[in-house]
Amino acid sequence: MNLALWIAAGLLAAVALTAGSTKTFVPKEKLAAANGGGWTDDASVGFVKTLGVLELLAAVGLILPAVLDIAPVLVAVTAACWVLLMVGAIITHLRHDEARFVVLNLAYLALAAFVAWGRLGPEPFTG
């Protein structure tokens, strides 16, 4: 179980790092032109960059607290926050008729829920 939770957290961290880097450092116009980026037309540059920074923080929060053994409960908290972020992403992609991205966000949501549940319940980090 511990290994499965580490793998799930690692996958989510990789997704968060990739998405966060893109939203933070790629111009909004270029994001809007990319497949699945139509939602950025309805968002300000500041909002898109803020989402990117939050995703970069999520990448850190899914791994570093446990690795450094400093407040490892933050892994579960970060995963729970990722669930909320994915709910927003699902709603946004539904509004833009981007069904395949909804399915992808549901998969990320399920992984994050698994990490949150696992680290708060059956397999918490213990000092």
Side-chain angles (χ1 to χ4, degrees), residues 4-107:
L5 289 166
W6 271 108
I7 290 169
L11 288 171
L12 284 175
V15 168
L17 183 63
T18 303
S21 297
T22 303
K23 289 181 186 92
T24 303
F25 301 112
V26 174
K28 181 184 158 192
E29 297 75 27
K30 192 169 180 182
L31 287 176
N35 194 11
W39 66 271
T40 60
D41 289 335
D42 298 337
S44 70
V45 172
F47 180 75
V48 174
K49 301 290 181 202
T50 300
L51 277 178
V53 169
L54 289 173
E55 288 173 334
L56 290 172
L57 290 172
V60 171
L62 286 164
I63 303 296
L64 276 187
V67 169
L68 299 176
D69 196 27
I70 298 173
V73 72
L74 289 178
V75 172
V77 171
T78 302
C81 290
W82 189 263
V83 168
L84 297 176
L85 186 67
M86 288 302 100
V87 169
I90 289 166
I91 291 167
T92 299
H93 286 299
L94 282 172
R95 287 182 179 167
H96 288 88
D97 296 321
E98 298 171 336
R100 75 178 167 166
F101 292 103
V102 170
V103 172
L104 191 59
N105 292 138
L106 281 169

